[in-house]
Amino acid sequence: MDFDGQHSVAVLCIEASLHSALLSIEPFRAANRLSKSRLFSIDFVSIDGQPSGTNLDIMIPVNATLDMPRTYDLILLHSSYGILDRGKTALFRWLRRQAAAGAHLCGMDAAPLLLGEAGLLKGYRATSHWSTLASFRELYPDTEVVEQLFVFDRNRSTCAGQLASVDYALFMLDRFCGRALRDIVANDLVYPAIRNEADLQRQIINGHAWHTNPILLRAQKLMQESIEDPLSIQAIADKCGISQRELQHLFGKHLKASPKNYYMTFRLQRAKELLIYSALSIRETGLASGFTSSATYFRAFRARFKTSPMHYRRAFQVNTSTPDGRRLY
């Protein structure tokens, strides 16, 4: 991608978060104003020529459609609360045409799943909003899915959306125009502490306690990376280079719970995310959370949450749902 001269940006919103969409372009608008030159042209693109809807029912006027011949340097595809089938074929065709012409594609929030469905993330490293990560991994195993603010991988980017949108836009402003202008824009936006690409999206529960000992952090990482195929506590201790008894002592001292209890918490949290945000069957959510037996899954879930997986999912259902399972709220 050519980062010299004027740069064209296309924004396409599908049931998007309004502030995510605006944050993703504000650094480029600020760069135009502060540099007193039109460094960036920004088009709002629509699938059907109609204004784009957002979660606050505020419509974003559009000035471009998919059938226009223009190609772009950067495409920001936003989707937060709904992914509709209508127009999907035309959208995927347009995205592939833009990619073939050299556009850098970025999916934000839940939109990386759209890029995955279009076959545009095969062999790439990617992220999405944390609530869709479990579904993302299950649906597109040929994409390396990680949890971080955003991922820049060759001619593709993916971003968690929401407030991470501004971090990503500032990162791209640096690539387009250099660090000096990026820092000037960040100061103008009163955003002095720009977050890095690899920063995590969520805070770790009891984060301070985990950080008191590097062995605990190692154990946590092992547990979260092996949810679908759980390790024994002895195996985790071995990989941490200590005895099982010592690992249990560290958990009890710093976290006031056993390794087994915390491991089950991570697995059941994954199950909850899949039940709410994925289209997997009840049985499949259990398998993806490391339960080979449905009976064991149901007992563990009921013991922790006082309800069954089926009733938990039903309690969070709404009248409409997305193909990729993201709960609308």
Side-chain angles (χ1 to χ4, degrees):
M1 178 168 40
D2 182 7
F3 292 106
D4 298 321
Q6 189 185 69
H7 316 290
S8 56
V9 180
V11 184
L12 202 158
C13 297
I14 304 172
E15 293 293 323
S17 161
L18 178 61
H19 82 271
S20 290
L22 298 182
L23 285 174
S24 70
I25 61 167
E26 187 55 32
F28 304 126
R29 293 181 65 254
N32 285 349
R33 175 170 50 82
L34 295 169
S35 67
K36 295 182 170 60
S37 59
R38 197 163 181 259
L39 295 173
F40 296 92
S41 63
I42 301 171
D43 283 349
F44 282 92
V45 182
S46 170
I47 292 177
D48 56 9
Q50 299 300 312
S52 299
T54 66
N55 60 309
L56 295 177
D57 293 327
I58 297 174
M59 306 305 288
I60 298 177
V62 301
N63 60 334
T65 59
L66 301 185
D67 56 2
M68 291 182 176
R70 184 177 187 186
T71 56
Y72 296 90
D73 296 316
L74 174 64
I75 292 172
L76 303 175
L77 179 64
H78 286 267
S79 182
S80 301
Y81 306 116
I83 299 175
L84 305 179
D85 284 324
R86 177 178 52 84
K88 200 180 270 189
T89 300
L91 171 63
F92 290 172
R93 187 185 307 117
W94 182 78
L95 289 170
R96 295 184 188 111
R97 178 169 64 84
Q98 292 288 335
H104 187 97
L105 306 184
C106 176
M108 310 195 85
D109 203 329
L113 280 80
L114 279 173
L115 294 182
E117 186 177 349
L120 292 165
L121 289 178
K122 290 181 179 178
Y124 283 85
R125 195 167 182 264
T127 193
S128 60
H129 188 277
W130 66 264
S131 65
T132 66
L133 288 172
S135 301
F136 199 176
R137 293 188 179 102
E138 291 294 323
L139 290 168
Y140 306 109
D142 51 7
T143 299
E144 181 189 352
V145 179
V146 297
E147 179 178 345
Q148 54 189 66
L149 290 184
F150 59 91
V151 173
F152 183 97
D153 186 357
R154 293 162 286 169
N155 55 353
R156 301 283 187 274
S157 292
T158 46
C159 177
Q162 306 300 324
L163 294 179
S165 300
V166 72
D167 298 282
Y168 172 74
L170 287 168
F171 172 86
M172 291 303 292
L173 179 60
D174 185 352
R175 293 190 66 88
F176 278 121
C177 301
R179 183 63 52 88
L181 182 57
R182 184 209 69 171
D183 290 344
I184 291 170
V185 167
N187 284 338
D188 184 70
L189 298 179
V190 196
Y191 200 72
I194 302 171
R195 296 179 294 175
N196 294 319
E197 176 182 2
D199 285 354
L200 294 177
Q201 297 178 25
R202 295 176 283 179
Q203 295 182 6
I204 300 173
I205 298 173
N206 293 331
H208 176 73
W210 288 105
H211 284 86
T212 58
N213 189 294
I215 292 176
L216 290 177
L217 278 178
R218 171 67 174 155
Q220 179 207 55
K221 189 171 186 293
L222 288 167
M223 289 176 179
Q224 293 184 325
E225 289 178 348
S226 58
I227 286 178
E228 189 166 353
D229 296 303
L231 300 169
S232 67
I233 301 304
Q234 181 63 62
I236 292 172
D238 290 344
K239 289 177 180 293
C240 291
I242 61 174
S243 68
Q244 181 173 336
R245 184 174 180 178
E246 187 175 356
L247 183 67
Q248 291 170 331
H249 171 73
L250 287 173
F251 268 77
K253 177 181 178 181
H254 296 288
L255 297 167
K256 312 304 180 188
S258 68
K260 182 178 180 180
N261 183 276
Y262 260 98
Y263 205 172
M264 182 61 71
T265 296
F266 292 142
R267 291 169 60 194
L268 290 173
Q269 179 61 35
R270 171 68 59 81
K272 285 174 64 177
E273 291 172 10
L274 288 168
L275 287 166
I276 298 174
Y277 300 116
S278 85
L280 297 177
S281 69
I282 300 294
R283 180 176 179 275
E284 287 170 335
T285 64
L287 290 172
S289 304
F291 296 95
T292 55
S293 162
S294 295
T296 303
Y297 174 38
F298 277 53
R299 280 198 303 271
F301 198 95
R302 185 176 289 280
R304 183 64 60 93
F305 303 119
K306 311 306 179 188
T307 187
S308 70
M310 184 179 298
H311 284 103
Y312 184 83
R313 167 174 276 180
R314 188 175 299 157
F316 282 90
Q317 286 178 336
V318 291
N319 292 330
T320 56
S321 61
T322 72
D324 297 307
R326 176 78 181 269
R327 175 188 166 214
L328 309 186
Y329 48 81

